[in-house]
Structure formats: C-alpha cells, structure tokens
Amino acid sequence: MEERKACWGARDEFWQCLDRHADDASKCEKLRLSFESRCPQQWVKHFDKRRDFLKYKKKLETEGYHPPEADGKS
C-alpha cells in the first residue's frame, strides 16, 4: 500500500512539473527518475499512456473534433 502511494505521489509530482513547464520533460528529469524508481516499469508505461490520453481527451472537449481536410481524394 505504501509503495503504491509513493508511486502515485511521484507520478503526480512529475505530471505537475510537466504542466508547469508546458510538457518540457527536460525541466522535470529528476522527478521523472524518481517516478521511474518508485513505480514498476509496467505502471510507468501505463501512466505515460494515460497522460497522453487525458491530454487528447481534454483537447477534444475544448476544441472539438476536426477531421483532416479532404484534398479532393476519395
């Protein structure tokens, strides 16, 4: 239980850093290493995909879906 809390806490700190620095991971390297050291590798992969999905979902909710422009091709 404590390990899970440590993992999630490290993830949250890393994600907050990314939010503050417009997803510039180079400014959050220490927090990334902490996140990776406190979480199983499979969880790190899952959380990375989850963050990408949540950002995509938020973009769809705020900007809506814009299909690619058709170039006259069918």
Side-chain angles (χ1 to χ4, degrees):
M1 180 87 161
E2 292 300 316
E3 293 162 347
R4 184 176 67 195
K5 285 182 181 179
C7 171
W8 289 359
R11 175 205 61 188
D12 292 346
E13 288 178 9
F14 175 59
W15 284 11
Q16 288 169 0
C17 180
L18 290 176
D19 289 341
R20 283 192 307 270
H21 297 288
D23 286 328
D24 183 355
S26 67
K27 297 188 179 187
C28 306
E29 287 181 34
K30 288 182 183 178
L31 291 172
R32 175 68 188 197
L33 291 174
S34 174
F35 168 48
E36 289 178 350
S37 71
R38 291 186 174 147
C39 299
Q41 189 60 37
Q42 193 63 33
W43 288 20
V44 171
K45 289 179 187 179
H46 168 77
F47 288 139
D48 286 345
K49 289 178 184 178
R50 176 109 177 114
R51 179 170 170 82
D52 290 342
F53 169 75
L54 292 173
K55 285 176 20 185
Y56 176 72
K57 181 179 172 187
K58 184 175 182 177
K59 182 178 177 182
L60 283 179
E61 289 171 349
T62 57
E63 299 175 19
Y65 174 70
H66 302 287
E69 294 293 323
D71 294 331
K73 300 176 183 173
S74 315

